[in-house]
């Protein structure tokens, strides 16, 4: 089950903020904000620096990527956001066709967890749960435009939207609670019940006590945070695209464990649980880098050239295979670090 919904120690530049959340208000906080960051545009392709590994041409795909460990499938959003393509990873090679394509009722804004063959897809006003085997879709109507979702270890789905709300959807598809207090909820990660939310408009990470509907400690995550994941140790890892940093937060309450400079616009981030490596993709130079974190300071151990504009990345937690999806038609890249 792929649930990512799951060094130099430095102090955060900004102090921790303790916020309170409630379920009966749609008001967003009156706080300083920035324009939510987007990936840095990739440079023109350099023939002298071809992508590592194998590149599979994928027609009409390029905006989001998810992996299911049970079915060994990849799910990709089409370039227009109006369909999902499911691919078997076994023998995935140039010329491979999707095993299933599912049309969507509206343009997707992203995907959440892909687990046990069920993919969470976000569209304006709803969460869709798509069965990759049958194509059957369950719709859960939600307010606003959902931006992020994660399946928790307890079986609930947490969905964040553009209005700063975090909604708790139970396994029956009922919205059990709504927690407010953010400007946006752009990414969510959960580890053994600990939930952290990333808000791009505040460039912050915030702990959430889902059971009590409260917000906990909130910390700045650089100058323009974009993405969030969590490893099996419970370290919440973020990328600061604007400020050029890779950051980690840990503990309860969370504290900043490191801020590591990364040039060329760090964006996509994921973790390899098998080799204990954090992977960070930088679109400004079309590269992806693996960091070992055991010493508390990120140590670069591998680096590869990627497809152009690799905005989406997922790592198979069982094998360490890295999948990167080009947002400008460059295809799906497959890197097996052990074979490079």
């Amino acid at each position: 089950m792929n649930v990512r919904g799951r060094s130099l120690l430095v102090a955060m530049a900004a102090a921790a903020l303790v916020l309170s959340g409630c379920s009966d208000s749609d008001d967003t906080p009156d706080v300083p904000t920035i324009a939510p960051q987007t990936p840095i545009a990739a440079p023109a392709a350099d023939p002298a620096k071809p992508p590592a590994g194998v590149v599979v041409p994928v027609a009409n795909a390029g905006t989001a990527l998810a992996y299911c460990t049970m079915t060994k499938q990849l799910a990709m959003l089409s370039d227009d956001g109006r369909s999902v393509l499911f691919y078997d990873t076994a023998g995935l090679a140039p010329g491979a066709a999707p095993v299933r394509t599912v049309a969507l009722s509206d343009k997707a804004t992203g995907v959440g967890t892909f687990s046990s063959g069920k993919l969470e897809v976000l569209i304006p006003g709803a969460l869709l749960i798509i069965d990759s085997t049958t194509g059957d879709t369950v719709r859960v109507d939600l307010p606003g435009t959902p931006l992020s979702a994660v399946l928790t270890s307890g079986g609930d789905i947490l969905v964040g939207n553009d209005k700063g709300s975090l909604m708790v959807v139970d396994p029956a598809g009922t919205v059990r609670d709504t927690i407010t207090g953010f400007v946006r909820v752009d990414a969510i990660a959960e580890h053994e019940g600990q939930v952290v939310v990333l808000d791009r408009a505040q460039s912050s990470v915030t702990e959430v006590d889902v059971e009590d509907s409260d917000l906990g400690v909130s910390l700045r995550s650089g100058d323009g945070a974009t993405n969030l994941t969590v490893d099996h140790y419970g370290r919440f890892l973020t990328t600061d695209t604007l400020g050029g940093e890779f950051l980690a937060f840990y503990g309860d309450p969370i504290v900043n464990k490191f801020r590591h400079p990364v040039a060329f616009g760090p964006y996509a981030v994921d973790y390899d649980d098998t080799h204990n490596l954090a992977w960070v993709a930088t679109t400004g130079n079309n590269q992806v880098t693996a960091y070992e974190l055991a010493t508390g300071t990120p140590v670069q151990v591998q680096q590869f050239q990627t497809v152009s504009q690799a905005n989406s990345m997922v790592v198979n937690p069982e094998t360490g295979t890295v999948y990167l999806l080009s947002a400008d038609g460059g295809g799906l890249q497959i890197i097996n670090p052990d074979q490079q």
Side-chain angles (χ1 to χ4, degrees), residues 221-273:
S221 182
D223 300 320
T226 49
N227 285 304
L228 166 73
T229 192
V230 64
D231 66 19
H232 61 113
Y233 297 111
R235 295 176 296 200
F236 293 87
L237 309 174
T238 70
T239 46
D240 171 15
T241 301
L242 180 62
E245 290 185 315
F246 171 42
L247 303 92
F249 301 86
Y250 181 74
D252 190 6
I254 55 171
V255 296
N256 178 225
K257 299 300 290 184
F258 64 73
R259 294 177 64 171
H260 183 73
V262 176
F264 299 104
Y267 190 70
V269 58
D270 205 0
Y271 194 82
D272 172 6
D273 293 327

Side-chain angles (χ1 to χ4, degrees), residues 292-309:
E292 208 283 325
L293 308 181
T295 64
T297 301
V299 177
Q300 178 179 321
V301 294
Q302 289 181 301
Q303 189 172 72
F304 302 105
Q305 201 71 21
T306 70
V307 288
S308 177
Q309 203 66 57

Side-chain angles (χ1 to χ4, degrees), residues 99-122:
V99 295
R100 184 174 300 278
T101 300
V102 179
L104 304 176
S105 57
D106 204 342
K107 183 176 180 178
T109 55
V111 299
T113 304
F114 189 15
S115 175
S116 300
K118 304 291 182 64
L119 174 70
E120 300 159 7
V121 179
L122 308 168

Side-chain angles (χ1 to χ4, degrees), residues 99-153:
V99 295
R100 184 174 300 278
T101 300
V102 179
L104 304 176
S105 57
D106 204 342
K107 183 176 180 178
T109 55
V111 299
T113 304
F114 189 15
S115 175
S116 300
K118 304 291 182 64
L119 174 70
E120 300 159 7
V121 179
L122 308 168
I123 65 171
L127 164 71
L128 305 179
I129 303 173
I130 301 175
D131 189 317
S132 65
T133 301
T134 64
D136 293 341
T137 300
V138 174
R139 178 186 175 109
V140 179
D141 290 322
L142 298 170
T145 299
L147 301 175
S148 56
V150 69
L151 176 65
T152 71
S153 54

Side-chain angles (χ1 to χ4, degrees), residues 5-337:
R6 92 187 166 96
S7 202
L8 178 63
L9 301 183
V10 295
M12 290 300 292
L17 302 176
V18 180
L19 306 175
S20 62
C22 59
S23 61
D24 57 359
S25 172
D26 292 328
D27 294 337
T28 55
D30 183 13
V31 294
T33 60
I34 62 170
Q37 295 301 300
T38 55
I40 289 178
D46 184 350
K49 298 179 180 179
V54 176
V55 177
V56 178
V58 180
N60 304 321
T63 57
L65 187 65
Y67 177 76
C68 177
T69 56
M70 189 189 82
T71 63
K72 316 300 182 188
Q73 289 182 321
L74 281 172
M76 310 174 202
L77 278 182
S78 62
D79 53 5
D80 63 3
R82 293 188 176 273
S83 61
V84 179
L85 296 79
F86 294 98
Y87 283 82
D88 281 331
T89 57
L92 186 56
V99 295
R100 184 174 300 278
T101 300
V102 179
L104 304 176
S105 57
D106 204 342
K107 183 176 180 178
T109 55
V111 299
T113 304
F114 189 15
S115 175
S116 300
K118 304 291 182 64
L119 174 70
E120 300 159 7
V121 179
L122 308 168
I123 65 171
L127 164 71
L128 305 179
I129 303 173
I130 301 175
D131 189 317
S132 65
T133 301
T134 64
D136 293 341
T137 300
V138 174
R139 178 186 175 109
V140 179
D141 290 322
L142 298 170
T145 299
L147 301 175
S148 56
V150 69
L151 176 65
T152 71
S153 54
D156 290 330
I157 300 175
L158 303 179
V159 184
N161 70 12
D162 62 336
K163 304 300 183 183
S165 295
L166 180 70
M167 291 154 284
V168 184
V169 180
D170 68 20
T174 301
V175 180
R176 191 178 71 242
D177 195 8
T178 299
I179 304 167
T180 61
F182 305 98
V183 178
R184 299 159 52 99
V185 180
D186 293 281
I188 313 163
E190 184 262 1
H191 179 263
E192 297 181 352
Q194 185 178 20
V195 175
V196 170
V197 160
L198 184 145
D199 182 337
R200 291 186 181 181
Q202 297 187 76
S203 191
S204 65
V205 288
T206 303
E207 278 192 271
V208 181
D209 186 330
V210 174
E211 292 304 314
D212 291 339
S213 301
D214 284 337
L215 306 191
V217 170
S218 182
L219 299 173
R220 284 289 301 275
S221 182
D223 300 320
T226 49
N227 285 304
L228 166 73
T229 192
V230 64
D231 66 19
H232 61 113
Y233 297 111
R235 295 176 296 200
F236 293 87
L237 309 174
T238 70
T239 46
D240 171 15
T241 301
L242 180 62
E245 290 185 315
F246 171 42
L247 303 92
F249 301 86
Y250 181 74
D252 190 6
I254 55 171
V255 296
N256 178 225
K257 299 300 290 184
F258 64 73
R259 294 177 64 171
H260 183 73
V262 176
F264 299 104
Y267 190 70
V269 58
D270 205 0
Y271 194 82
D272 172 6
D273 293 327
T274 299
H275 299 90
N276 285 315
L277 294 174
W279 289 88
V280 178
T282 46
T283 58
N285 62 351
N286 292 326
Q287 291 187 342
V288 65
T289 304
Y291 295 96
E292 208 283 325
L293 308 181
T295 64
T297 301
V299 177
Q300 178 179 321
V301 294
Q302 289 181 301
Q303 189 172 72
F304 302 105
Q305 201 71 21
T306 70
V307 288
S308 177
Q309 203 66 57
N311 294 352
S312 304
M313 173 177 64
V314 67
V315 180
N316 183 332
E318 297 177 326
T319 66
T321 302
V322 181
Y323 299 94
L324 300 117
L325 186 60
S326 169
D328 63 7
L332 171 71
Q333 181 177 10
I334 307 168
I335 300 175
N336 184 338

